[in-house]
Structures are given as C-alpha cells and as structure tokens.
Amino acid sequence: MTFPGPAPAGPGISFCPPDLPIAVVSPNPSTSNERPTALTEFRLQWRLMNAYERFEQLVVLALSLIIAGIILMALLQLYRRVVPLLIGGAIDPLDHEVFQSLFGAIFTVLIAMEFKHSIVRAALRRESIVQVRTVLLIALLAISRKFVILDASSTPASTIAALAIVTLVLGIVCWLLREPTPRSDQAEPSQAH
C-alpha cells in the first residue's frame, strides 16, 4: 500500500519529498515478535560451518542423544527401585546406608544431566566444545557424590584426606577460572582534578 505525501517525522525517519509515494510494509504479525527457535538457529549456523565443524556438531549431537538415553534409563531404574519401597514403607531414610545408596543414585543422575547440559550447550554453539570450568564442576559433583556414598568407618583416613585435597584444589581452580568482575573503584574514574 502506498501513501502520497511526506513521511511522518520521528526518530530515525527522514522527510520524503511530497511528490514521491511512500511504501508502507507491514511486518508479518506471526513472526515479528517471535524468537528464532534453537533448530532455526542451528540451521542458520550449519550453513556457515566448514566440514570439520559440521562433523564436530554431528558427534556432539550423537553424544547428546546417547547420554539422554542413559539418563532416561537411570531415572527409570531409580524410579522402579525407590518408589515401591517408599510406598511400602520399606525405606528408612534415617538409615545411613539407605541414605547413602539413595542419594548416590540421585547424584549419578544429576552428574549425567550436567554432562549432557554441557554437551547441548556446545551443540547450540553458545560455547566451544571443551569448557574447562564445566569439566571441573562435573568433577566436583562426582567427588561430592563420593563423599555422600563414602563409609567413613571403613575408609582409611588417607583416602578421605586425599579426596578432601582434590576437592579443595578443584574449588581453587574453579575460583581462578571465574568470570572477572570489574571492581567498583575501577568502574568509575575519578572526577577530581
């Protein structure tokens, strides 16, 4: 649709000579406010990738599907074993051994989910394939799981100390790899001259 006359004035709009028609194009209402989906973004990025990057993405997607299957099987097994025992009252959550095995299994599923999340993030090209910080955080989750399932009465003190040192070192490395935050005294330059 065209309208003769000058265009309305506004920010970023210039006047048009009165003798030239102005074309008004209305945006498609179905797509004007929608965000592109992950699949749409992936398709756009796929066109820009070279052969090795495409191969890398296929491997990441295959690994993601395999890990998703493992997570689903682990969750179903956990559900199949725990729910009947909970309903029947056979699980005593105050029993230390039951607590260890139950939360050890839950931690296993959480670790697998975090691992899959890091792979999906790489597949969406939000980050590179290898994220050192993510690997360190997954290692910390695995060590936390080990502490939960550890029987302190039968585990040697040297093993517990070694696990504690590894946890401390991984925590320090994660802290060193954190995103730098600007200090407030550096963010605002001094105005006094």
Side-chain angles (χ1 to χ4, degrees), residues 107-189:
F107 257 114
T108 301
V109 173
L110 290 175
I111 291 167
M113 287 174 52
E114 181 60 35
F115 186 62
K116 184 187 176 305
H117 178 72
S118 67
I119 289 176
V120 168
R121 201 172 346 156
L124 295 175
R125 306 292 286 176
R126 292 191 181 129
E127 296 178 6
S128 65
I129 294 299
V130 177
Q131 288 294 310
V132 175
R133 192 163 196 274
T134 302
V135 172
L136 291 172
L137 291 173
I138 292 170
L140 278 170
L141 274 175
I143 291 175
S144 299
R145 177 192 175 276
K146 184 67 175 173
F147 276 118
V148 167
I149 64 171
L150 190 70
D151 185 12
S153 62
S154 64
T155 306
S158 60
T159 302
I160 295 173
L163 287 171
I165 290 170
V166 168
T167 304
L168 179 65
V169 169
L170 286 173
I172 290 170
V173 172
C174 280
W175 180 75
L176 290 172
L177 291 175
R178 75 190 185 286
E179 295 293 323
T181 56
R183 294 182 6 193
S184 62
D185 60 341
Q186 292 177 347
E188 299 175 18

Side-chain angles (χ1 to χ4, degrees), residues 14 36 55 58 67 73 77 95 97 99 102 106 121 130 133 135 154 163 165-166 174:
S14 61
F55 168 75
L58 291 174
I67 294 171
M73 289 188 314
Q77 288 293 325
D95 183 16
E97 290 177 10
F99 180 84
L102 181 63
I106 292 171
R121 201 172 346 156
V130 177
R133 192 163 196 274
V135 172
S154 64
L163 287 171
I165 290 170
V166 168
C174 280

Side-chain angles (χ1 to χ4, degrees), residues 56-69:
E56 197 174 63
Q57 288 300 305
L58 291 174
V59 169
V60 166
L61 289 173
L63 285 174
S64 181
L65 289 174
I66 291 169
I67 294 171

Side-chain angles (χ1 to χ4, degrees), residues 78-94 98 102 106:
L78 182 65
Y79 180 81
R80 198 185 95 212
R81 290 180 183 170
V82 172
V83 171
L85 295 174
L86 281 174
I87 292 172
I91 289 184
D92 180 14
L94 298 177
V98 171
L102 181 63
I106 292 171

Side-chain angles (χ1 to χ4, degrees), residues 16-69:
C16 191
D19 56 337
L20 292 176
I22 301 171
V24 178
V25 179
S26 64
N28 184 351
S30 64
T31 60
S32 63
N33 294 331
E34 292 180 10
R35 282 184 40 220
T37 64
L39 184 60
T40 306
E41 288 180 20
F42 182 76
R43 285 180 182 167
L44 292 173
Q45 291 173 354
W46 184 264
R47 294 178 191 149
L48 302 174
M49 292 181 200
N50 62 29
Y52 181 75
E53 289 172 331
R54 288 179 180 182
F55 168 75
E56 197 174 63
Q57 288 300 305
L58 291 174
V59 169
V60 166
L61 289 173
L63 285 174
S64 181
L65 289 174
I66 291 169
I67 294 171

